[in-house]
Amino acid sequence: MSIQAKIHPVILSGGAGTRLWPLSRELFPKQLLPLAGPTSLLQDTALRVGGTGFAPPLVVSNVEHRFAIAEQLRQCGIAGAGLLLEPLGRNTAAAVAAAAAHLAAAGAAEDDCMLVLPSDHVVLDPAAFLGAVATAAAAAATGKLVTFGITPSSPETGYGYIRQGPALDGVDGAYAVERFVEKPDSQTALRYLAEGGWSWNSGMFLFPLGALRAELAAHAPDVAAAASRAVALAVRDLDFVRLDRDAFAAAPSISVDYALMEKTARAAVVPASLGWSDVGSWSALWDIGRRDADGNVAQGDVLAERTRNSYLRSAHGLLAAVGIE
């Protein structure tokens, strides 16, 4: 992978553990769990961007998870990571804006890029991911704000969709964004799949730092101002940076999609097949798991008899399933 500008991975880890309950819970949400292998989803995300061409990651997290995150990064050998602590949740626009202000204050160049990654997604094809990042970096070098689109494999109604427009000049595999569409009904999703040129909105982005801050100031000035003030008044606590509570609380709670990507004229998309899942349900774990001849995915101490197409997981003790489908 050839990446010209320095890329700063920004890993968003503010999830509250409301999905995949009871395994995932408020004090130990799904990104801290080993759901797709021996390491947690957070560790998998950090390890994907641990190679040459990437700066040490910056993790944006809530206060409650800071020690667990720091320990998990240490366990998987991620050195030099920063932890930026949100005093309260304000959705992804404020988190992205605060990360951008923090990196700028730390000396990052305007043509450096921020690679924004949710901490709780699965990517089964890391090589394809790095290839998509290289394509996005080429698009970002022209001033584009790039989102990663997932080539759809089914008419999912739980994801937003992106309609790709014209190809970008000189950047093979990147396109202008024609429009964003919120979660469609099943008939609309089927039509999108048949038409082609549509991607699932993955929630992963690559932003040139200077262009990102300028576009935030233009399209989401309240978010940008609150985030910048929260960084200016932040205090260091051990290895953590705590954003100022009052300043950060002034930011509207809005996603970066609504606040920025649906408004900017600089939006571009890189469609890719990454073996991606946002692991939003137990059935998603069955979808990405390694199935046996009977279609079962088993983790832990599991005994299955006359059981088909099931997700079977035991963390403690023996789980026996008989005659389940």
Side-chain angles (χ1 to χ4, degrees):
M1 178 179 62
S2 175
I3 298 174
Q4 300 301 316
K6 180 181 284 187
I7 294 181
H8 300 266
V10 172
I11 300 174
L12 304 182
S13 185
T18 56
R19 298 196 291 182
L20 299 187
W21 186 90
L23 191 62
S24 173
R25 52 202 186 277
E26 185 174 355
L27 291 181
F28 212 75
K30 68 171 181 165
Q31 64 264 31
L32 301 180
L33 296 168
L35 296 177
T39 48
S40 74
L41 299 184
L42 170 76
Q43 290 173 315
D44 292 342
T45 304
L47 289 168
R48 276 196 294 277
V49 292
T52 303
F54 295 103
L58 175 66
V59 181
V60 184
S61 164
N62 59 36
V63 173
E64 289 79 8
H65 302 153
R66 65 193 186 281
F67 291 118
I69 289 172
E71 175 60 16
Q72 288 203 358
L73 293 175
R74 185 197 65 79
Q75 287 174 352
C76 66
I78 301 296
L83 273 85
L84 191 63
L85 303 182
E86 296 178 303
L88 70 170
R90 276 297 179 265
N91 214 315
T92 56
V96 167
H102 174 79
L103 289 173
E110 287 208 343
D111 61 352
D112 284 357
C113 290
M114 271 177 50
L115 177 59
V116 178
L117 303 171
S119 61
D120 57 354
H121 290 182
V122 168
V123 171
L124 298 178
D125 192 340
F129 168 78
L130 293 177
V133 171
T135 300
T142 70
K144 296 296 186 181
L145 306 183
V146 187
T147 183
F148 294 87
I150 303 302
T151 303
S153 56
S154 60
E156 287 288 340
T157 58
Y159 301 139
Y161 282 70
I162 302 167
R163 174 66 174 174
Q164 68 189 47
L168 297 188
D169 290 340
V171 185
D172 187 33
Y175 303 83
V177 170
E178 182 176 298
R179 64 187 172 112
F180 291 89
V181 176
E182 282 306 295
K183 300 171 183 177
D185 59 34
S186 57
Q187 289 303 311
T188 303
L190 276 169
R191 177 164 55 83
Y192 291 168
L193 205 64
E195 286 178 2
W198 291 88
S199 300
W200 293 334
N201 190 351
S202 71
M204 301 186 292
F205 306 94
L206 188 75
F207 298 130
L209 187 58
L212 168 64
R213 299 193 74 200
E215 291 294 283
L216 281 169
H219 299 292
D222 292 347
V223 173
S228 293
R229 183 167 172 77
V231 169
L233 298 175
V235 296
R236 183 166 288 279
D237 174 12
L238 300 174
D239 293 330
F240 312 111
V241 175
R242 292 177 178 263
L243 295 169
D244 182 78
R245 182 179 182 87
D246 290 342
F248 197 68
S253 181
I254 186 172
S255 72
V256 72
D257 299 87
Y258 285 135
L260 179 62
M261 294 303 288
E262 295 188 8
K263 297 176 180 177
T264 181
R266 298 191 186 193
V269 60
V270 172
S273 296
L274 310 177
W276 174 90
S277 172
D278 71 347
V279 200
S281 64
W282 288 106
S283 61
L285 285 174
W286 180 82
D287 287 336
I288 64 173
R290 181 175 297 176
R291 298 170 211 160
D292 63 18
D294 293 317
N296 300 315
V297 176
Q299 291 198 15
D301 193 3
V302 172
L303 175 64
E305 294 289 341
R306 302 193 310 280
T307 294
R308 293 169 45 81
N309 302 324
S310 298
Y311 182 78
L312 308 166
R313 183 186 188 101
S314 174
H316 306 287
L318 172 66
L319 170 65
V322 180
I324 292 175
E325 182 163 359

